[in-house]
Amino acid sequence: MIIGTAGHIDHGKSALVRALTGVQTDRLAAEKERGISIELGYAYLPIPDHDEILGFIDVPGHEALIHTMVAGATGMRFAMLVVAADDGAMPQTHEHIAILELLGIERGCVVITKSDTVDASRLEQVKSQLTNILQNTFLATSPIFAVNSLAPEDEGGIDALRQYLFEQAVQIHALRAQGPFRLAVDRSFTLSGHGTVVTGTVFGGHLDLQQPLAERLRIMPAGIPVRARRIHAQDQPSSTARVGQRCAVNIAGVGADDIQRGQWLAEEYCFEPTRRIDVEMHMLASSQTELRTWSPAHIHIGAAHHHAHCVPLTTHWVQPNDRALVQLVFDEPVCVLPGDRFIVRDAQARHTIAGGRVLDVHAPDRKRRSQKRIDWLESMNAVLQGADIEQLLVHAPYGFSRTALNRLPTETRWAEQPAPEGCVWVGPEGEPQQILIAASIWAQLEKDLLTALAWAHQRYPDDPGVERARLRRMVAPRAPDVLWDALLTHLQQQGQLHLNGAWYHLPDHTVSLSADEDAYAEQIMTFAWEGRYNPPWIRDIAKELSVDEQTLRSIGRKLVRQGRLFQVVRDLFYHREHVIDLALLLKELAADSGVRVATYRDHINVGRKRTIQILEFFERIGFSRRVGDIHYLRKDSRFLDSI
């Protein structure tokens, strides 16, 4: 169990930890000289006749060091609110209580220090003051201990407190190893003979040195690959690191100077760095400010401190004591998961004004206030509080992958469950990327795809169909590859969708050639082949063969539907093999930074007008895109893979 101190500066938090554990947590020269904590301090205390070890985090109390206090408080499971008998509750006392509540800490006790400096009357007065202050907080029914930390052997307060902490640690159940492994780094250093060591609290998952995971870790959000070599958990050598423990991990692959407080040691697929997150925010009643669109703020998540702008989603501003949905837009990429708690301080970082919980780590910048979006966020909030996953899936247009479900801090491990009623698993069976989606949404996607294809066939009757990537942009632009491929495969298996080369089409969008048409078709194919990158127009072929132009045009379109020709522009048909060559050349020239018309023209040795027609054809089928004068490949196109 991780126990943390909280309270005003110079109220004896470090002395209290030393009295309980015998460990001096102030390790910096400046801390010892000035007699105040500047950095986080740590100490450990084994429980007699038990394998549990108490971990203590001693946090600074000065108002200028609240960011350091939050970095330590984020990993606590149990808080000791420390108040000096002579001073009583002070400004940082109130702020620390608010921070602990916003971080979701539910257990703790109150310790009155310096009890030897006051008489019994004053001690009762402070107890009464604290009872009033704490009556609506998680500490309302917690015991109050009066101690003299400087002479713990002379009075029973420290012994009683220590015994109480032992009892609480045994009663509090160990946290379940939910989600992927991640440790919030609050310190990094080099240990002679061992190399780089990072320390912090394990927020999720389980790391075992004997398992392959130990070889596939990342420093995030930097994405630096590292491997774990040794672990100290709760100040003891260990082969494992578990959620809720304070750990030091010896890692290989990076120097200590390349790691900063606030980063994460995590599984390689744990995080996807983001700059936008949607959250539920609770403004403190004591806040002296309100948040409007683009209000700047300091955000503390895990051990990290970030700058962000706030965008209220359900109101024009968030006032004191309000609860609201808000989007946070960060100045730099951050790593968070749904359910993570955070603290908000004002633009000057002088006052704690709010806190809350992360709902979505990939928030959109468009339509972020739409009713569909608000419904999704409210459903996610309900699931994080224990509701069934079905409540969220009916508002999730693309479902959730097993990986995404594993990231949810819920009691039920939805990624390991059969599909709930009204939901289906789609995609590769049992794989991390398999998706759980509401059956109603899946059926609507099927309908939308077939409707889009019918429209395309009517709008472009001469085209053989629609290429995969372009069809996705028409139906579900943000659908992940796994979901989209599963949808296409399912409709093909049902006989509602056919694939001809790279083109998807409805079953009735097909053609056959008569014997007479077949003879003309072979001649058209010959002209297209011999013309290479500059084939003749259909009117010129008709004149050469003395055949009706409309007859040849109709046959050419049928050949397009069969996938043997491509109609680059009306009445200009290219042989399939030459289009492949042109596509491969475009892929080569545009691979790094795109290609201009002139460069492509010089390589295919045709005129500028014809070059533009070819490039526009590739844009139309979804193989490339134009930005200004530069043509780029579309990364999601599978044109060359399937043709």
Side-chain angles (χ1 to χ4, degrees):
M1 184 173 76
I2 302 295
I3 301 170
T5 62
H8 197 77
I9 184 174
D10 200 31
H11 275 201
K13 296 184 294 297
S14 299
L16 174 61
V17 174
R18 184 170 66 249
L20 288 166
T21 67
V23 177
Q24 169 60 270
T25 56
D26 287 339
R27 51 190 172 79
L28 302 180
E31 292 178 316
K32 296 176 181 177
E33 179 181 342
R34 297 169 61 186
I36 64 170
S37 296
I38 299 172
E39 270 293 346
L40 299 173
Y42 309 100
Y44 300 90
L45 180 65
I47 300 177
D49 303 321
H50 201 279
D51 58 4
E52 179 77 23
I53 297 176
L54 300 183
F56 290 83
I57 301 179
D58 181 27
V59 306
H62 195 283
E63 64 175 347
L65 299 171
I66 286 290
H67 63 283
T68 307
M69 179 269 170
V70 174
T74 306
M76 297 177 187
R77 289 199 71 195
F78 189 97
M80 290 193 300
L81 179 67
V82 180
V83 179
D86 51 355
D87 286 342
M90 297 287 281
Q92 259 56 65
T93 307
H94 294 272
E95 186 168 17
H96 282 210
I97 294 169
I99 290 171
L100 296 175
E101 291 225 286
L102 291 171
L103 290 175
I105 297 172
E106 299 177 346
R107 291 175 177 263
C109 66
V110 182
V111 183
I112 300 175
T113 57
K114 306 182 183 181
S115 62
D116 58 310
T117 64
V118 299
D119 57 24
S121 173
R122 171 58 180 170
L123 203 56
E124 289 303 316
Q125 183 182 3
V126 173
K127 287 182 180 180
S128 177
Q129 178 195 35
L130 290 171
T131 299
N132 291 331
I133 291 173
L134 300 172
Q135 61 182 341
N136 293 319
T137 74
F138 74 102
L139 293 170
T141 59
S142 298
I144 299 177
F145 296 88
V147 303
N148 174 10
S149 302
L150 299 182
E153 69 282 353
D154 295 334
E155 53 92 34
I158 289 293
D159 289 337
L161 173 59
R162 187 186 293 113
Q163 186 60 38
Y164 175 75
L165 296 177
F166 287 160
E167 293 170 357
Q168 291 297 300
V170 172
Q171 292 175 12
I172 295 176
H173 297 296
L175 293 172
R176 291 181 58 189
Q178 297 170 328
F181 172 78
R182 54 185 179 131
L183 177 147
V185 177
D186 54 40
R187 230 181 122 207
S188 64
F189 55 90
T190 301
L191 188 63
S192 179
H194 296 277
T196 303
V197 176
V198 294
T199 69
T201 300
V202 180
F203 270 55
H206 169 233
L207 174 64
D208 188 334
L209 292 179
Q210 307 304 316
Q211 298 297 321
L213 170 61
E215 303 285 330
R216 301 195 304 268
L217 298 173
R218 293 285 188 276
I219 297 296
M220 296 297 292
I224 303 171
V226 298
R227 61 183 177 88
R229 301 170 62 187
R230 298 177 185 83
I231 297 173
H232 264 61
Q234 300 291 88
D235 204 35
Q236 298 292 316
S238 175
S239 62
T240 62
R242 300 178 182 277
V243 62
Q245 291 182 325
R246 175 150 191 86
C247 296
V249 185
N250 178 205
I251 58 176
V254 65
D257 293 340
D258 296 322
I259 305 173
Q260 289 80 43
R261 170 182 288 168
Q263 292 184 313
W264 296 85
L265 174 67
E267 289 186 34
E268 57 182 334
Y269 300 117
C270 176
F271 292 114
E272 295 176 17
T274 179
R275 289 177 182 266
R276 295 176 183 272
I277 64 174
D278 284 345
V279 304
E280 181 199 36
M281 184 180 292
H282 176 210
M283 288 282 284
L284 293 174
S286 59
S287 174
Q288 300 297 310
T289 187
E290 61 183 21
L291 295 177
R292 297 176 177 267
T293 298
W294 218 244
S295 292
H298 292 258
I299 310 296
H300 299 267
I301 302 180
H305 171 203
H306 301 286
H307 295 91
H309 289 86
C310 304
V311 182
L313 300 178
T314 51
T315 182
H316 294 296
W317 55 78
V318 187
Q319 296 179 314
N321 210 34
D322 280 353
R323 287 186 180 271
L325 298 176
V326 176
Q327 184 169 110
L328 300 179
V329 183
F330 293 90
D331 295 345
E332 59 187 1
V334 301
C335 289
V336 294
L337 292 184
D340 282 356
R341 298 277 184 168
F342 63 91
I343 297 296
V344 184
R345 306 199 81 213
D346 61 21
Q348 294 75 37
R350 294 179 58 190
H351 304 287
T352 299
I353 59 174
R357 176 163 48 191
V358 175
L359 301 180
D360 187 8
V361 300
H362 293 295
D365 59 345
R366 297 182 179 181
K367 299 183 179 180
R368 55 191 169 195
R369 293 188 175 97
S370 69
Q371 189 57 51
K372 284 185 177 181
R373 181 63 187 165
I374 300 305
D375 291 344
W376 191 98
L377 293 173
E378 290 178 344
S379 298
M380 172 61 87
N381 201 13
V383 167
L384 292 176
Q385 296 180 56
D388 288 339
I389 196 70
E390 300 97 297
Q391 183 169 334
L392 176 59
L393 289 174
V394 296
H395 297 292
Y398 304 128
F400 277 83
S401 68
R402 289 189 188 272
T403 298
L405 290 171
N406 267 327
R407 292 171 179 160
L408 297 179
T410 54
E411 285 297 317
T412 303
R413 305 185 79 136
W414 296 109
E416 301 172 7
Q417 304 297 316
E421 185 177 353
C423 303
V424 292
W425 283 107
V426 300
E429 184 67 32
E431 294 298 315
Q433 64 268 33
Q434 190 178 19
I435 290 174
L436 182 63
I437 189 170
S440 58
I441 293 179
W442 179 249
Q444 187 62 47
L445 284 172
E446 292 179 358
K447 181 179 178 181
D448 291 347
L449 187 152
L450 297 175
T451 300
L453 264 183
W455 174 87
H457 293 339
Q458 183 178 11
R459 178 70 175 81
Y460 305 104
D462 298 335
D463 286 356
V466 183
E467 192 266 341
R468 170 189 175 278
R470 180 178 172 225
L471 184 57
R472 175 164 59 176
R473 288 192 292 275
M474 293 167 61
V475 178
R478 299 184 64 188
D481 283 345
V482 170
L483 179 67
W484 187 242
D485 288 340
L487 183 63
L488 295 173
T489 300
H490 173 71
L491 288 174
Q492 284 180 265
Q493 292 172 344
Q494 297 294 314
Q496 300 181 71
L497 184 67
H498 288 178
L499 178 62
N500 177 17
W503 316 105
Y504 287 95
H505 62 86
L506 298 177
D508 59 356
H509 188 72
T510 185
V511 294
S512 60
L513 297 171
S514 67
D516 290 340
E517 287 177 326
D518 194 54
Y520 286 127
E522 291 304 319
Q523 290 178 298
I524 294 173
M525 293 292 293
T526 299
F527 277 104
W529 175 260
E530 293 176 348
R532 201 176 181 221
Y533 300 155
N534 192 21
W537 293 90
I538 201 71
R539 62 176 177 270
D540 297 326
I541 299 176
K543 186 180 297 184
E544 182 73 21
L545 299 178
S546 300
V547 179
D548 177 62
E549 180 179 327
Q550 183 57 39
T551 298
L552 291 190
R553 180 179 294 114
S554 175
I555 295 172
R557 290 172 177 174
K558 290 183 178 182
L559 290 171
V560 170
R561 289 196 187 184
Q562 290 182 344
R564 299 167 66 186
L565 292 179
F566 287 93
Q567 187 169 214
V568 171
V569 293
R570 177 180 167 82
D571 286 356
L572 187 62
F573 297 93
Y574 275 64
H575 196 283
R576 176 180 182 275
E577 297 302 321
H578 297 331
V579 169
I580 293 175
D581 292 341
L582 288 167
L584 288 171
L585 178 62
L586 180 58
K587 180 180 179 181
E588 177 184 348
L589 296 176
D592 296 327
S593 54
V595 64
R596 294 180 181 273
V597 172
T599 303
Y600 192 63
R601 176 199 61 199
D602 292 344
H603 279 77
I604 63 176
N605 198 29
V606 298
R608 178 178 174 83
K609 182 177 180 181
R610 181 58 51 85
T611 302
I612 292 174
Q613 290 172 337
I614 294 170
L615 290 172
E616 288 178 343
F617 163 74
F618 284 131
E619 289 177 40
R620 188 174 79 243
I621 66 172
F623 182 63
S624 64
R625 63 188 178 92
R626 181 171 65 87
V627 180
D629 295 331
I630 310 296
H631 294 261
Y632 300 91
L633 295 181
R634 285 192 178 273
K635 295 180 180 180
D636 61 351
S637 175
R638 296 185 183 176
F639 173 68
L640 282 173
D641 296 334
S642 53
I643 191 172

